[in-house]
Amino acid sequence: MSTAMMSTARKPHEASSRVEAIDWSAVSADLDLQGWANMPKLLSARECDTVAGRYDIDEDFRSHIIMARHGFGRGEYKYFAYPLPSLVEELRTDLYPHLAPIANRWHETMGRDVRFPDDHAAFIARCHAAGQTRPTPLLLQYGKDDYNALHQDLYGEHVFPLQVAVLLSEPGEDFEGGEFVLTEQRPRMQSRAMVVPLRQGDAVVFAVNSRPVQGTRGSYRVKLRHGVSKLRSGHRHTLGIIFHDAS
């Protein structure tokens, strides 16, 4: 599948300028320190509502998952089909070059041979050559008592070690509960849980699987999982941006 077939005609969004304005040195430092970093107000309220409103447009999606049927939790999500909506495609394309150097540094520190190209299209071409051709950006929808069990989004041999989630709903107005949660499994230690504070339009970038941690005897790997706690009321939508495609 060609890049031209994968994406809609590219019309620049204001989100592109917001991506460029992010303090990427601070994001890198936070990722090294805790495995996640907040990117406030990546999307406007209008953009959030527009993306969330696509959930009922069936032709936008390739797959619809009801979590309870698979033991994933409660709630549902849909994987976008190619061509991706222009805003989703643009975020995926624009965020990747800032994250690739961090991903390469992490792989080097963890002793992994795989390196990632500077351009996202080149990485997607690598995925597709290996049979990972299904797009992975997704839109998640939760209602009262819904939750997302702790998990990792791997999908195949080629895995980009960072991913992004954007909260499209406003806590305290659209829903209660439903916090974004990360757990970190540390060798010979109890797991650590972290709750990421997010408002509407905020994004979090976090480790997909493992990250390097500097210890007294050198670096070691810790594994992370992510999920969403139970909603007490309302409805919550999230945009997930995963940079590798699925087999």
Side-chain angles (χ1 to χ4, degrees):
M1 181 184 297
S2 70
T3 302
M5 292 174 62
M6 286 162 47
S7 61
T8 54
R10 182 113 186 231
K11 296 179 181 179
H13 291 271
E14 294 178 3
S16 288
S17 60
R18 295 187 210 116
V19 169
E20 295 306 313
I22 290 171
D23 184 346
W24 287 103
S25 61
V27 167
S28 178
D30 284 346
L31 283 167
D32 287 344
L33 178 66
Q34 60 195 12
W36 62 271
N38 203 334
M39 298 184 291
K41 297 302 179 186
L42 181 63
L43 296 184
S44 68
R46 177 182 56 82
E47 289 166 332
C48 288
D49 291 343
T50 298
V51 175
R54 303 188 79 106
Y55 197 83
D56 294 325
I57 305 175
D58 289 340
E59 56 266 32
D60 276 3
F61 301 96
R62 66 170 177 85
S63 181
H64 182 195
I65 306 297
I66 306 299
M67 294 187 198
R69 294 177 182 171
H70 306 277
F72 297 163
R74 278 189 52 171
E76 58 186 76
Y77 55 89
K78 296 179 179 181
Y79 288 105
F80 284 104
Y82 282 132
L84 299 174
S86 60
L87 177 57
V88 177
E89 173 70 19
E90 195 160 315
L91 285 172
R92 201 184 195 204
T93 300
D94 292 345
L95 288 164
Y96 174 90
H98 297 281
L99 298 174
I102 302 170
N104 284 329
R105 177 165 52 77
W106 278 13
H107 268 213
E108 181 178 3
T109 302
M110 292 188 291
R112 293 178 172 170
D113 294 333
V114 174
R115 298 294 180 267
F116 302 95
D118 296 335
D119 180 71
H120 186 247
F123 177 59
I124 285 296
R126 178 190 298 178
C127 290
H128 289 191
Q132 293 179 216
T133 59
R134 296 186 296 164
T136 50
L138 69 163
L139 196 53
L140 302 100
Q141 177 173 273
Y142 304 89
K144 184 179 184 297
D145 293 331
D146 289 349
Y147 67 96
N148 197 344
L150 294 169
H151 65 283
Q152 298 173 320
D153 297 308
L154 301 177
Y155 300 125
E157 174 189 359
H158 296 280
V159 175
F160 190 74
L162 295 161
Q163 69 188 77
V164 172
V166 187
L167 182 60
L168 304 177
S169 307
E170 181 61 40
E173 295 182 13
D174 299 322
F175 68 95
E176 299 284 350
E179 295 90 355
F180 184 85
V181 179
L182 286 162
T183 63
E184 188 174 76
Q185 184 179 350
R186 299 172 291 173
R188 298 178 299 281
M189 299 175 69
Q190 292 184 331
S191 296
R192 178 174 68 157
M194 298 167 281
V195 175
V196 178
L198 296 172
R199 309 297 301 185
Q200 184 182 43
D202 291 352
V204 57
V205 54
F206 56 97
V208 172
N209 181 9
S210 57
R211 72 177 184 96
V213 173
Q214 189 63 38
T216 56
R217 299 181 179 180
S219 64
Y220 60 94
R221 301 179 191 180
V222 297
K223 286 191 173 294
L224 286 89
R225 297 179 185 274
H226 64 279
V228 172
S229 68
K230 186 169 72 173
L231 266 70
R232 295 190 295 274
S233 64
H235 290 85
R236 181 190 195 276
H237 286 92
T238 305
L239 170 64
I241 301 174
I242 299 164
F243 296 95
H244 47 275
D245 276 354
S247 56

